[in-house]
Amino acid sequence: MPATDQTQLRKYYDAEYHYGEDVEHPNLDRLRRSMSHLGALRGRRFLDLGCGVGWAARIAADEGAAYSVGLDFAGTALVRAMRHTPAAGWVQGDGNALPFRDGSFDDVFSFGSMEHFPDVPRGFAEAARVLRPGGQLVTVVPNWWIRTDQPQELRASERRWREIATGAGFDVVRVGADHGPAILKNRKPLRILMRLALHVLSRIPGLRYQHVLVLRKRA
């Protein structure tokens, strides 16, 4: 991606993205459901990739990870993350060029971020590089019919996401489902109805809201 486009992306995430809502109304149960695919995190080396305001890194730290690191493109998000969890490590960086050595982590988790990377396959390859052999990546990515207002986004079928993951050096352990935001995330009637419809539609085969890819790096 040209440098000018990268600059525009950074401006969007620093100035326009809804981090305030993510801090004030976190859906921690939803995060924990996806993170549960990683198993016990005590003593593990954990990376929250595209961490936003850092709730997954906080959960990992609270569960006894040996160390928990959150990385994000946007400084605005990391400032908010550091306020609520100063004990975790916070790094501003590019998911397509991670500033970590090979094999630095046992587990990588990414919720709703990797689809926004400028080069999605490279992002998966970078996640594989920083994992130890046999390490796990759990990433939550959108199905083909989902749309958001973010400026860059890859939406794809389960089959396409599997192709990207295996091409980056992962074996697919399983693919779970994320059915979308909590129905009562806030009290706005139209939003409640929309989220209810999403939850119902997401249970139709092939129309899940998001894929939860549970991946293992090949030894």
Side-chain angles (χ1 to χ4, degrees):
M1 170 173 284
T4 53
D5 291 349
Q6 287 273 30
T7 300
Q8 291 302 314
L9 273 180
R10 192 181 297 277
K11 285 181 178 179
Y12 170 81
Y13 287 110
D14 274 327
E16 298 181 40
Y17 189 73
H18 50 76
Y19 296 118
E21 181 180 347
D22 290 349
V23 170
E24 294 165 13
H25 302 287
N27 194 337
L28 300 184
D29 288 341
R30 184 185 181 196
L31 264 183
R32 287 191 176 98
R33 280 194 296 273
S34 295
M35 292 179 70
S36 68
H37 292 282
L38 292 168
L41 295 175
R42 179 166 298 278
R44 309 279 286 182
R45 301 169 297 164
F46 177 88
L47 173 63
D48 183 2
L49 177 57
C51 65
V53 298
W55 290 112
R58 177 173 180 163
I59 289 170
D62 289 346
E63 292 188 1
Y67 56 82
S68 179
V69 177
L71 177 139
D72 203 89
F73 191 57
T76 300
L78 294 171
V79 168
R80 293 175 181 269
M82 284 186 278
R83 286 175 185 162
H84 68 62
T85 311
W90 304 105
V91 178
Q92 186 170 12
D94 183 351
N96 282 160
L98 294 174
F100 307 115
R101 295 179 180 175
D102 296 1
S104 296
F105 298 97
D106 301 303
D107 303 291
V108 175
F109 179 77
S110 185
F111 193 109
S113 295
M114 297 186 78
E115 67 269 24
H116 302 299
F117 288 3
D119 184 336
V120 173
R122 182 174 173 183
F124 275 75
E126 276 292 278
R129 181 184 65 78
V130 302
L131 278 167
R132 63 167 176 80
Q136 303 176 98
L137 167 63
V138 171
T139 181
V140 183
V141 290
N143 207 346
W144 58 270
W145 59 277
I146 296 301
R147 292 219 182 356
T148 72
D149 57 3
Q150 296 187 54
Q152 180 164 305
E153 189 166 62
L154 175 63
R155 304 171 298 273
S157 66
E158 177 184 333
R159 179 179 178 180
R160 177 59 183 141
W161 284 114
R162 283 176 175 267
E163 289 172 349
I164 291 171
T166 56
F170 288 103
D171 291 323
V172 179
V173 177
R174 60 186 171 275
V175 179
D178 169 69
H179 299 300
I183 294 171
L184 298 178
K185 182 178 180 181
N186 55 42
R187 301 298 176 177
K188 298 177 181 178
L190 288 178
R191 290 296 184 98
I192 290 172
L193 288 173
M194 182 187 73
R195 290 192 289 267
L196 177 60
L198 283 174
H199 276 247
V200 172
L201 187 62
S202 183
R203 284 165 169 78
I204 298 173
L207 292 181
R208 65 167 63 104
Y209 182 79
Q210 294 193 109
H211 312 290
V212 182
L213 304 180
V214 184
L215 310 172
R216 191 174 303 280
K217 180 180 176 178
R218 294 188 200 111

